[in-house]
Amino acid sequence: MMGNEGSQLSGLEIEEKATDISDFWTHYQATIKDSCRYFSLKGDGSVSVFKGQAVPGPLWTITSPLEKFSNNLLKYRHPCIIRYISAWQQRSTLHLATEYVQPLSHILNSQTPLQLCIGLNNILRALVFLHEQAGMSHNNVSISAIYVTGDGQWKLGGLEYLCAFTELTPGYLKQARIHRYDKAVDPNEESYDNVSKVDQYGFAVLVEDAFKGHKDDEVPYLREFKTYCRDMLQHTNPVKRPKLSEVLQHNFFNHEFITIYKFLNFLPLKSEEERCDFFTNILDTLKCYDEETVAKQLGGLLLSRLTMLDQTARKDVIPFILKPKNERSQNAEHSGFFSISVYKEHVKPRLMQLFAVRDTQIRMLLLTHFSKFVHMFSHEELSQHILPELLLGIKDTDDNLVASTLICLSELVPILGADTVIGGKRSKLFTDGRPNPKSNLVLSSNVPKEENGFLATKSLRDFHCSEDSYEQNEVDNSSFDKNLLNERPSPVGGESVEEKYIITTETKRNNTGESEEDWSDWDNSNNQTSTAPVLPFLQSLEKEEVIAVEPIEINNTPHSVSNLKEQSDKKTALLQKAAIQAKKNMVDISELDIKNQKVDSSKKNGDEFDFFADMKPVIEKPAVVTLAQVDSDFSSKLNFVPNEGVEENDGWGESWND
């Protein structure tokens, strides 16, 4: 459960459960919404918030401990000191917001010896900065004053006891004695005239506490360094205690792993030749160390802006860091450096931060290797963090950047779907034009054929039909495969055929020059029974020669090929006879004119069926009205009165003579 504290930080939400409670403040974790993702490794805007109230004491008569801590963080900035973000007062409670950190005491037992070595190196660098650059003494070097960031880096805190060396007196230390770490306080501290070396004593105690429970051979020169701390840093005479900058020269802080860490930290100070030498051999060197320690301590430095901009690193280091190790890969040369579990925990959060960097070279490097690590992200991470950054990249003026971004977006389509990547409404604009192998009739060479090459064994039901079939007395031509009817039937006489047959192969044409293009298209779109296209050989028997017919069943009666051929010959003879008879009866072409055709009234009510019987209009006889007598001498067509004796069917003829 979180609550908005009404702070100066917009969108700050603080957790209700405290992370740590000390004498001076309560430590909470918080989140800044819509932040620049700069304050935490996870890229989720996590920060730390310290809440404190005024504490009575001689050291804080004017300011509270948290207020002094906040002021010192604001004033003394160093990479190894906790980063200050903001501070504000709410009623009587002071709030201090810093980068995301957690107390070292919470995770000390999970730290590896190499991590402890690097952490102590960071604290020592911070103390050297305070002593030599700022002229300040920390006065409370201990585990309680150290915090760890999200990427495992140790940061110095506890600056509430900080004071200048000119103000550091035995009286000041006596006033602060009640809240300082007892073990880190020199028992003879009050008797010394020179108290400027209290931090050396405290650092020696810190080394002892950090490596408690570890063997002396786990880190190079650890045994020697422990002896050095006990004999030199905790010397009974404070004057003989060395400067902290001299402690940095000890072999414990200069073995191979620490040297790599320091080189990456001070990369801008190195020459081009030194960088080239370093990045050429660094991966072979790091393979000798624990993988998780390398990822946690050096992962951020290996993927820093300065490293990614170096030409040698871009060629020899970055491709292997960005690619996770495939355990099944046989070719170790092209394998990644970190295993998948370590990659997801330590490298992936860095990549999410790098995608927010507005640097062309860094973005192009990420896009180049995008396919190697895209599968490491979850769907939510890709859609909420990576995709918005990629969509921003396609609006850039750099054509190369836009082209590479579009390629990476195509990698996201199979993972997130086109709706997520492209957005907007989509519709089916393209269809699959490949032929359906189930609907194509494949003629196998093993199927027996007639001498003329036509199939004679398959029945109608053996062929695939894409439309519904109808059980009717007559075969519906809509269920035929168009590939089986190579020639469109003739329209002449096709309507009078009652029995249906299927020609299964091509028919030979006579040299008449006629083709199927001469016939108009006949449609049968409603799946109704049609007799026209079923028997092509009956409509064009004078032009085509029937080669073979498959045996089929008509009206559930089996017919052999010979029966079909016999019936076909009979119908052919009948049609030919009818055509000759019609030709003989036709004397003149003018008889085809409907005006000259003679109607045989004897057949009108006999064999011929009158299709228009129901459509004949009924004309009622007009009523006869008696008119006044008109002069008989006056005669005109306009006063014509029909004779009642004239038959009803007689007309006026085609012309008037009056």
Side-chain angles (χ1 to χ4, degrees):
M1 186 68 179
M2 295 184 179
N4 193 324
E5 296 294 328
S7 69
Q8 295 179 359
L9 295 177
S10 176
L12 177 68
E13 293 184 347
I14 304 175
E15 295 182 358
E16 291 187 353
K17 184 178 180 180
T19 300
D20 185 43
I21 300 176
S22 67
D23 295 339
F24 303 134
W25 55 69
T26 305
H27 182 187
Y28 295 89
Q29 303 298 355
T31 304
I32 300 178
K33 289 185 176 181
D34 302 325
S35 70
C36 61
R37 289 176 274 181
Y38 177 72
F39 306 119
S40 68
L41 173 70
K42 298 178 181 179
D44 56 0
S46 297
V47 296
S48 290
V49 175
F50 298 85
K51 295 182 181 181
Q53 295 182 349
V55 177
L59 292 180
W60 304 289
T61 55
I62 301 176
T63 60
S64 65
L66 182 58
E67 187 177 357
K68 188 174 182 181
F69 177 35
S70 174
N71 293 335
N72 288 329
L73 287 182
L74 178 62
K75 186 176 182 180
Y76 303 107
R77 303 294 186 100
H78 188 270
C80 297
I81 296 178
I82 297 177
R83 183 184 297 117
Y84 171 92
I85 296 178
S86 179
W88 65 95
Q89 185 85 21
Q90 184 177 2
R91 297 185 179 91
S92 61
T93 303
L94 178 68
H95 295 71
L96 168 65
T98 68
E99 63 177 323
Y100 174 84
V101 292
Q102 52 185 330
L104 174 62
S105 58
H106 291 186
I107 61 171
L108 181 61
N109 295 332
S110 63
Q111 296 280 294
T112 64
L114 282 177
Q115 288 177 313
L116 295 174
C117 181
I118 293 177
L120 290 173
N121 179 77
N122 288 352
I123 300 303
L124 189 57
R125 288 175 54 198
L127 291 174
V128 170
F129 165 76
L130 291 176
H131 282 204
E132 299 185 1
Q133 267 82 30
M136 307 293 289
S137 177
H138 188 274
N139 302 323
N140 189 33
V141 178
S142 62
I143 291 179
S144 62
I146 299 173
Y147 295 84
V148 183
T149 61
D151 57 350
Q153 304 299 319
W154 288 19
K155 297 292 184 77
L156 182 63
L159 303 185
E160 61 273 14
Y161 297 102
L162 191 71
C163 71
F165 281 112
T166 56
E167 300 175 357
L168 185 60
T169 61
Y172 181 89
L173 294 176
K174 184 178 180 180
Q175 293 176 343
R177 179 71 177 80
I178 188 173
H179 296 292
R180 293 167 62 197
Y181 180 44
D182 290 337
K183 190 177 179 180
V185 176
D186 187 352
N188 302 319
E189 184 180 77
E190 296 181 3
S191 62
Y192 297 145
D193 294 333
N194 185 358
V195 293
S196 61
K197 303 293 182 70
V198 294
D199 286 348
Q200 279 84 335
Y201 191 96
F203 185 80
V205 175
L206 175 63
V207 173
E208 183 182 353
D209 291 344
F211 282 100
K212 186 177 181 179
H214 292 276
K215 297 179 180 179
D216 292 343
D217 57 352
E218 291 180 342
V219 179
Y221 308 107
L222 176 58
R223 186 190 306 274
E224 293 85 344
F225 186 65
K226 283 184 175 180
T227 303
Y228 176 81
C229 290
R230 184 173 57 251
D231 296 342
M232 301 302 295
L233 297 181
Q234 290 181 309
H235 199 282
T236 55
N237 184 1
V239 178
K240 293 184 178 181
R241 296 172 186 173
K243 293 182 178 180
L244 291 179
S245 57
E246 296 177 7
V247 180
L248 280 175
Q249 306 304 319
H250 194 279
N251 291 334
F252 179 75
F253 294 113
N254 290 280
H255 58 79
E256 188 177 53
F257 193 83
I258 287 286
T259 302
I260 295 174
Y261 177 82
K262 289 181 177 180
F263 192 99
L264 292 172
N265 266 297
F266 298 102
L267 194 62
L269 305 179
K270 306 299 180 181
S271 65
E272 184 175 353
E273 184 179 354
E274 289 176 326
R275 292 198 301 267
C276 182
D277 244 3
F278 175 79
F279 286 120
T280 302
N281 305 310
I282 184 175
L283 291 184
D284 294 333
T285 305
L286 292 178
K287 288 178 181 178
C288 304
Y289 296 95
D290 178 64
E291 181 185 21
E292 187 168 1
T293 302
V294 173
K296 195 166 188 178
Q297 297 299 320
L298 304 180
L301 295 172
L302 291 172
L303 293 176
S304 66
R305 179 193 296 269
L306 295 175
T307 303
M308 297 184 74
L309 293 179
D310 186 87
Q311 293 299 324
T312 307
R314 293 166 66 94
K315 179 174 63 74
D316 296 334
V317 178
I318 302 302
F320 299 94
I321 300 298
L322 293 181
K323 181 180 180 181
K325 184 188 299 181
N326 187 355
E327 305 295 342
R328 301 178 181 178
S329 177
Q330 301 297 327
N331 190 354
E333 181 181 355
H334 299 287
S335 177
F337 188 83
F338 296 113
S339 62
I340 294 178
S341 58
V342 174
Y343 191 100
K344 287 184 176 180
E345 184 177 358
H346 300 290
V347 179
K348 185 176 71 173
R350 288 287 180 185
L351 294 179
M352 296 181 67
Q353 287 183 326
L354 288 174
F355 269 102
V357 176
R358 302 291 185 266
D359 188 289
T360 303
Q361 297 301 320
I362 293 178
R363 175 58 67 88
M364 285 296 296
L365 189 60
L366 294 175
L367 297 178
T368 303
H369 302 282
F370 187 75
S371 59
K372 297 178 181 178
F373 58 79
V374 62
H375 57 283
M376 291 290 99
F377 295 95
S378 65
H379 279 232
E380 182 181 359
E381 291 168 340
L382 288 174
S383 60
Q384 299 297 327
H385 300 286
I386 305 300
L387 180 59
E389 296 294 342
L390 291 179
L391 294 177
L392 186 66
I394 63 177
K395 300 178 181 179
D396 195 79
T397 56
D398 190 336
D399 290 344
N400 293 329
L401 179 63
V402 173
S404 300
T405 302
L406 291 174
I407 294 175
C408 294
L409 288 174
S410 69
E411 298 276 352
L412 293 180
V413 172
I415 302 174
L416 301 178
D419 289 337
T420 303
V421 177
I422 299 176
K425 295 182 179 180
R426 295 188 300 143
S427 59
K428 186 70 174 177
L429 302 177
F430 293 85
T431 58
D432 191 351
R434 294 177 299 177
N436 188 353
K438 295 183 180 180
S439 63
N440 291 336
L441 178 62
V442 180
L443 301 179
S444 175
S445 59
N446 298 327
V447 179
K449 299 181 180 180
E450 295 288 340
E451 293 180 359
N452 51 20
F454 284 82
L455 294 175
T457 58
K458 281 187 176 289
S459 65
L460 176 63
R461 298 183 182 273
D462 292 331
F463 297 105
H464 172 73
C465 178
S466 60
E467 299 182 7
D468 296 333
S469 58
Y470 297 88
E471 296 295 336
Q472 299 176 354
N473 293 333
E474 296 181 350
V475 180
D476 189 353
N477 75 302
S478 63
S479 64
F480 295 155
D481 193 339
K482 295 182 180 180
N483 294 329
L484 299 178
L485 298 177
N486 294 305
E487 226 175 0
R488 188 177 289 115
S490 169
V492 179
E495 296 83 351
S496 63
V497 180
E498 296 177 357
E499 295 183 5
K500 310 296 187 291
Y501 300 89
I502 303 173
I503 296 180
T504 61
T505 58
E506 296 182 354
T507 57
K508 297 181 180 179
R509 299 176 180 274
N510 292 333
N511 297 328
T512 59
E514 297 177 0
S515 63
E516 63 179 356
E517 285 78 4
D518 297 332
W519 308 108
S520 59
D521 293 336
W522 291 10
D523 295 333
N524 185 23
S525 58
N526 296 326
N527 286 333
Q528 297 176 351
T529 302
S530 174
T531 61
V534 178
L535 275 178
F537 61 91
L538 292 179
Q539 284 97 27
S540 57
L541 288 172
E542 293 183 359
K543 305 180 213 176
E544 301 174 353
E545 176 185 355
V546 179
I547 305 302
V549 179
E550 278 194 347
I552 61 173
E553 291 185 6
I554 300 177
N555 297 330
N556 299 326
T557 303
H559 294 266
S560 64
V561 176
S562 60
N563 291 337
L564 293 176
K565 190 171 184 180
E566 182 179 351
Q567 295 178 13
S568 175
D569 293 341
K570 290 180 180 180
K571 292 188 177 292
T572 302
L574 291 174
L575 288 176
Q576 290 177 348
K577 184 177 180 181
I580 295 172
Q581 185 65 30
K583 186 176 181 179
K584 289 180 179 180
N585 294 338
M586 186 180 297
V587 179
D588 189 4
I589 193 171
S590 61
E591 294 181 4
L592 295 176
D593 191 353
I594 192 170
K595 295 176 63 177
N596 298 329
Q597 289 182 0
K598 298 179 180 180
V599 180
D600 190 352
S601 59
S602 62
K603 296 181 180 181
K604 185 174 183 180
N605 298 326
D607 298 336
E608 186 176 1
F609 181 82
D610 189 1
F611 293 94
F612 302 99
D614 296 337
M615 301 174 62
K616 183 178 297 184
V618 178
I619 304 175
E620 297 181 357
K621 185 179 295 184
V624 179
V625 180
T626 303
L627 301 174
Q629 286 291 337
V630 183
D631 188 1
S632 60
D633 294 336
F634 179 77
S635 176
S636 173
K637 289 182 179 181
L638 297 177
N639 66 352
F640 171 75
V641 178
N643 189 357
E644 294 184 359
V646 180
E647 294 183 2
E648 180 180 355
N649 294 332
D650 293 342
W652 284 358
E654 295 184 358
S655 62
W656 294 355
N657 295 324
D658 297 322

